[in-house]
Amino acid sequence: MPGTMGTASYVMAPTAGNDAFWSSAHGADRVWSRHQALRRVRGEQLCDEPESHGIAVRPISRRALAKEAPDAYKDVDDVAAAATLTRLVPLGVVAG
C-alpha cells in the first residue's frame, strides 16, 4: 500500500478469504480532493519538510506537489495496521 511523500508505504500480507487482495491497493484514500489540496497547501511548503529529513523532492511543478500533500490523505499507518509485513520509508519524491 503506497504512502505519501511524507509517510511510509507498506507491503501487506493477505488474509484467507479476503477478496480485496485480488487487486492492488492505491493508497490510504484521500480526505481532500486535489482541488481542496491546492487551496489549502502551497507546494513550496512541501519541499522543505521532507528535505529536512533527507528525502529528495523533485516535482515537475510546485502545483503538482501541492495536489499530493500528505494531509490530503488518510493516515496510512491506521489503514495498514491490519496486515502489514514490511514498512518502507520514502527516500525520494517524484511529482508530476
Side-chain angles (χ1 to χ4, degrees):
M1 174 178 296
T4 69
M5 70 182 86
T7 63
S9 295
Y10 292 90
V11 175
M12 308 293 288
T15 55
N18 186 342
D19 291 338
F21 283 96
W22 286 102
S23 66
S24 175
H26 298 296
D29 204 10
R30 298 183 76 91
V31 292
W32 298 343
S33 69
R34 285 176 175 78
H35 185 72
Q36 287 173 313
L38 285 171
R39 288 187 308 210
R40 294 179 183 206
V41 179
R42 295 193 44 85
E44 293 83 6
Q45 298 168 317
L46 295 177
C47 282
D48 295 339
E49 178 62 22
E51 287 185 349
S52 73
H53 295 286
I55 301 168
V57 180
R58 303 295 181 263
I60 194 167
S61 70
R62 303 292 185 186
R63 183 177 169 86
L65 192 61
K67 290 179 185 179
E68 301 304 322
D71 289 341
Y73 290 87
K74 293 178 184 174
D75 185 334
V76 71
D77 295 326
D78 291 344
V79 174
T84 300
L85 283 178
T86 302
R87 183 175 186 265
L88 308 168
V89 296
L91 299 177
V93 174
V94 177

